[in-house]
Amino acid sequence: MGPEDRTDKKLRVLQLNKYYAPVIGGVEKVAEEIGRGLSERTEMTVLVCNRQGPAAEEERDGVRVVRAASPRSVLGMPLSFSYFIRLRRLAREADVLLLHEPFPLGDVAVLLRAGKKPLAVWWHSDIVRQKRWRFLYGPLQRKILNRASVILAATQAHVDFSEALEEFRGKCRIIPFGIDAAAFRAGAASCSPLQELKDPSLLSAPASASPLKLLFVGRLVPYKGVEILLRALALTEEIDLYIVGKGPLGESLRGLAVSLGIEERVHFLGEPEDPVLKACYRDCGAFVLPSVTKNEAFGLVQMEAMAFGKPVVNTALPSGVPWVSLHGQSGMTVPPGDVDALAGALEALKDGELRERLGRGALERVETEFSMGIMLERVLAALEEAAGSLKD
């Protein structure tokens, strides 16, 4: 059946990524928002790996989620033979594939098992840290980009600062990430660990007597800069840090907090359920994203904090990060890896009036610049373009 025979049918989309909700991560969040947001307008299937688990299939928010067995991972990349088997079957049912990059397993699977199925790529970032791996992976990734009909990126900085995209700029479509701020806030739980972990002696004290509650959300991996954050925190007083997320650096970061003498001010919260995570945003005083490399290409967590009117401290990376939250308007931007500058920004945010002003700017920016509805319309248009504009 060709496109001309299906003009009254929904577009059949197969998203390909490493993981999917409830796994916490920026790329996972984008895949989830696209899946859930377009579930009524498309036939949406997502193929991912089940993080160190057996094969499974479920329906999640109207999206068919197929999880291939993945017994282990290497350098943060899941290994899964069954991913190839499932991709071949699911690709036959799809009109268009949406591949989230970088994802070496997905690249190989698409090239070997997807035939000539139309392909769109969402470019999240270049590979930055593993230079040797980048040298080996580059030719494979170039084949994927050459095969793709359209390449989606969240900001112009993703394209301008990417070596890999230089020869494919004509295929690129800029689609800023979106968020429904009101709906996001409405999903918060009534209580969060930030409330539960308060010092009881401060419950009846004036607000000015309580420490500033700082929130970080993300995987505990090197490029997130949590080590820098802990060292900066040690240079401050009356600031408590709440860390949401897990990762290979978890134990070493706990040890660093102890060695710095700040273990009583640092709280590791793991990966709470979504309503509790949202309540953490609501109950914090400020949000921090201290990433140190352009692996952090956008920082969706910034938008989530801004949706609750929270000021953001981010870093001046050559990526979309400092564009999401603007210095002096919705937060503060410091040089990546600069412990002293980060500590200075955190100390400055102990000023309640400054936090309130930047928080208002954060909410205004997220409501005017990052519309979920516009994002989804643009994504659907790009997928239809890649599939051959089935509705024409």
Side-chain angles (χ1 to χ4, degrees), residues 301-322:
V301 287
Q302 298 184 95
M303 287 172 36
E304 295 180 347
M306 293 161 68
F308 278 98
K310 304 300 178 178
V312 172
V313 179
N314 62 18
T315 50
L317 294 169
S319 72
V321 168

Side-chain angles (χ1 to χ4, degrees), residues 29-30 33-34 36 122 154 175-181 184 298 300 303-304 307 323 366-367 369-376 378-379:
K29 176 63 72 172
V30 174
E33 294 290 3
I34 292 173
R36 183 171 54 197
W122 192 302
I175 304 179
F177 296 134
I179 186 170
D180 185 335
F184 189 78
F298 189 90
L300 278 169
M303 287 172 36
E304 295 180 347
W323 174 79
V366 82
E367 289 181 339
E369 298 293 333
F370 302 108
S371 164
M372 177 60 71
I374 293 175
M375 170 191 163
L376 293 173
R378 291 173 175 172
V379 170

Side-chain angles (χ1 to χ4, degrees), residues 45 85 95 118 160 193 227 254 295-296 387:
T45 301
I85 299 173
D95 298 314
D160 292 343
E227 177 184 343
R254 286 179 172 85
N295 273 37
E296 192 73 75

Side-chain angles (χ1 to χ4, degrees), residues 6-226:
R6 301 186 66 254
T7 55
D8 60 336
K9 302 293 185 181
K10 293 180 179 179
L11 189 70
R12 298 174 298 185
V13 180
L14 174 61
Q15 280 200 85
L16 307 172
N17 192 35
K18 289 192 294 184
Y19 304 120
Y20 195 76
V23 176
I24 293 176
V27 180
E28 287 72 31
K29 176 63 72 172
V30 174
E32 182 185 17
E33 294 290 3
I34 292 173
R36 183 171 54 197
L38 295 180
S39 63
E40 295 185 358
R41 302 169 64 184
T42 68
E43 293 181 17
M44 179 67 65
T45 301
V46 179
L47 174 61
V48 294
C49 295
N50 197 8
R51 191 164 57 177
Q52 297 184 352
E57 185 168 335
E58 65 175 319
E59 182 173 308
R60 188 180 181 94
D61 297 323
V63 179
R64 179 188 180 193
V65 181
V66 180
R67 304 182 195 268
S70 178
R72 60 175 300 183
S73 62
V74 176
L75 295 176
M77 186 57 54
L79 300 179
S80 173
F81 178 74
S82 69
Y83 198 94
F84 292 81
I85 299 173
R86 292 174 180 273
L87 174 60
R88 184 174 185 178
R89 173 173 57 84
L90 294 172
R92 289 172 178 166
E93 304 170 359
D95 298 314
V96 61
L97 312 182
L98 175 57
L99 172 65
H100 293 272
E101 281 286 312
F103 181 26
L105 173 69
D107 295 348
V108 175
V110 167
L111 292 173
L112 294 182
R113 309 295 284 182
K116 297 182 179 180
K117 190 66 63 173
L119 174 67
V121 165
W122 192 302
W123 188 262
H124 292 274
S125 73
D126 289 18
I127 289 182
V128 178
R129 289 184 59 247
Q130 298 97 349
K131 293 186 178 180
R132 181 180 301 178
W133 174 243
R134 182 175 59 183
F135 175 77
L136 296 172
Y137 177 42
L140 173 64
Q141 197 171 50
R142 186 175 183 278
K143 288 184 178 180
I144 283 291
L145 294 173
N146 190 59
R147 187 187 180 299
S149 299
V150 295
I151 301 169
L152 313 182
T155 72
Q156 189 61 44
H158 283 70
V159 179
D160 292 343
F161 292 110
S162 171
E163 296 178 11
L165 294 183
E166 187 172 357
E167 63 178 297
F168 300 105
R169 294 192 176 196
K171 296 182 178 182
C172 293
R173 310 287 184 268
I174 305 302
I175 304 179
F177 296 134
I179 186 170
D180 185 335
F184 189 78
R185 292 192 299 271
S190 59
C191 188
S192 80
L194 277 68
Q195 295 171 322
E196 297 167 357
L197 293 173
K198 280 182 179 179
D199 182 344
S201 67
L202 296 174
L203 290 178
S204 60
S208 59
S210 301
L212 170 63
K213 289 181 285 188
L214 192 69
L215 180 66
F216 166 86
V217 177
R219 290 181 297 139
L220 303 184
V221 293
Y223 81 84
K224 291 290 185 178
V226 182

Side-chain angles (χ1 to χ4, degrees), residues 202 208-214 229-241 260-262 264-265 342-351 355:
L202 296 174
S208 59
S210 301
L212 170 63
K213 289 181 285 188
L214 192 69
L229 176 57
L230 292 179
R231 295 188 184 281
L233 186 70
L235 300 179
T236 71
E237 296 180 352
E238 297 182 347
I239 300 177
D240 286 353
L241 172 63
L260 292 171
I262 58 174
E264 293 185 359
R265 294 200 283 143
L342 180 55
L346 302 184
E347 280 286 340
L349 285 175
K350 288 161 62 176
D351 182 335
R355 290 201 309 273

